[in-house]
Amino acid sequence: MSITATATLVLTASFVIMLLMRFPIALTIAGSTLLTIMYLDVPWVVVGQRMIKGLDSYSLLAIPFFILAGQIMSEGGLATRLINMAQLLVGAIRGGLSLVTCIACMFFGSISGSAAADASSIGSVLIPAMKRKGYKPEFTVGLTSAAAIQGVVMPPSHNMILYSLAAGGVSVSALFLAGIIPCLILLVTLMTTAYIIARKNNFPKGDPIPLKEVPRIMREGFLSMMTGVIILGGIFSGWFTATEAGAIACLYAFILTFFVYKDVPLSHSVIILKKTFRTVAMVLFLIAASDAFGWVLAYLKIPAMVTDLFLGFTDNPYIILLMINLLLLLLGAPMDMAPLILIMTPILYPVVTSLGMDPVHFGIVMILNLGIGLLTPPVGTVLFVGCAIGKVSIDKGARALLPFFFAMIGVLFLLTYVPQLSLWLPNTFLGK
């Protein structure tokens, strides 16, 4: 066996073993990289250099800004105001609270950029409310978990920034714009599925909102949604970059939460900053370790081997894209989303570009695909959050999720094979 083949085996085996031993994913990536470097007799300093290089990117500044903005708004009662806004729009329809959940998750996702934050913030309010109204507990969990996935597709998704870095600098602004139409398609699909189930089970209509409350709800809802408007409006108009949009969104969220809504005291900002720093530190270490891992992949020519493997199997782009989607769906079950983006993008990117697939289009497909993986055990982070809030077992929650899961798979393949759904806005506004 050649040195390259043996090193590839060392990298793969050590990664899988540490993953099965439940090492933290960032340590798993770093550990398997170090073991492979030792076998190849490459100086250890290379790993340190690659990790530092992985963090040397201006685009990375957007991640702490967006995480901080989402954390501020999450702590400041934003979820309740967005829910009230959504209820004003669709609450009176049969199964109205289920439709409110879908819309509220999209609203909140346009601010937090996180599916787990979406599920916990919206779910903590709406899952108990739906259960009190007679909705089946497992349905509330399945719906909320599925609707929360909109947070990874709707800008400002942190995962789009990770993909941009892993793909070698794909425009973050283009990715943000590309996620809007897919998210709206996903929203309509989930709402349609929820409405059909609600009609079948005769779930109740929502409570009417007193007329005198409407102006306040609209005002507070509009102010809350302005965070997303600032981000997207600035990018649409070309006034500022995604990183600058994140900084402005932080400032707006801070003023709105502490000086307009005043739901939490200013002293609470220390707790918010601690939570943000903890999250940012984990993300940055993961990025640094993944950059070193990616260097080892390139050194061993694994991306080229994978490209040859796919193209040697068939030259039909539709079949290759189907195989890539199935591969990502399978990998999304045992692994979390962020590390998969950082690991699989350098491997699959040469494959899709050889097919002529636009990098922005592939980014949206990959992000939705791996977002669906957040719903599938044994990892299934978002599903676990929903089940914990709804006090429902994982198996019941997973069964109730199935109609939404298959609906999302349908959206995934629609986006895969109709690239203009993702590319129209970037092409129109950024001239890609």
Side-chain angles (χ1 to χ4, degrees), residues 112-165:
S112 71
S114 166
D118 218 343
S120 59
S121 297
I122 302 298
S124 62
V125 178
L126 279 176
I127 287 178
M130 285 191 280
K131 288 167 69 174
R132 286 195 299 269
K133 291 293 182 181
Y135 289 74
K136 295 179 180 178
E138 56 270 26
F139 168 80
T140 67
V141 169
L143 169 66
T144 305
S145 302
I149 301 304
Q150 296 172 100
V152 304
V153 182
M154 190 71 175
S157 170
H158 314 145
N159 296 290
M160 291 182 180
I161 302 172
L162 295 181
Y163 170 79
S164 169
L165 294 170

Side-chain angles (χ1 to χ4, degrees), residues 57-196:
S57 172
Y58 175 73
S59 298
L60 269 180
L61 284 174
I63 292 180
F65 283 138
F66 286 129
I67 290 175
L68 178 57
Q71 191 68 50
I72 291 172
M73 299 294 271
S74 178
E75 297 281 340
L78 173 71
T80 302
R81 291 175 171 86
L82 292 177
I83 288 168
N84 291 338
M85 183 75 169
Q87 192 161 357
L88 192 63
L89 298 174
V90 295
I93 301 173
R94 173 70 60 187
L97 278 180
S98 63
L99 306 183
V100 167
T101 300
C102 296
I103 295 178
C105 282
M106 186 199 69
F107 285 164
F108 194 82
S110 69
I111 297 167
S112 71
S114 166
D118 218 343
S120 59
S121 297
I122 302 298
S124 62
V125 178
L126 279 176
I127 287 178
M130 285 191 280
K131 288 167 69 174
R132 286 195 299 269
K133 291 293 182 181
Y135 289 74
K136 295 179 180 178
E138 56 270 26
F139 168 80
T140 67
V141 169
L143 169 66
T144 305
S145 302
I149 301 304
Q150 296 172 100
V152 304
V153 182
M154 190 71 175
S157 170
H158 314 145
N159 296 290
M160 291 182 180
I161 302 172
L162 295 181
Y163 170 79
S164 169
L165 294 170
V170 175
S171 169
V172 176
S173 297
L175 288 166
F176 280 4
L177 293 177
I180 295 173
I181 291 178
C183 187
L184 293 176
I185 294 173
L186 186 59
L187 171 66
V188 172
T189 303
L190 292 173
M191 289 181 69
T192 302
T193 307
Y195 179 73
I196 292 171

Side-chain angles (χ1 to χ4, degrees), residues 49-57 60 165 287-288 291:
Q49 290 172 342
R50 296 305 309 184
M51 292 181 75
I52 293 172
K53 185 178 181 298
L55 299 177
D56 184 18
S57 172
L60 269 180
L165 294 170
I287 292 171
D291 195 88

Side-chain angles (χ1 to χ4, degrees), residues 74 85 91 109 116 120 141 197 229 268 296 314 343 356 366 420 426:
S74 178
M85 183 75 169
S120 59
V141 169
I197 296 173
V229 172
H268 195 72
V296 173
T314 178
I343 292 170
M366 171 178 264
Q420 281 307 309

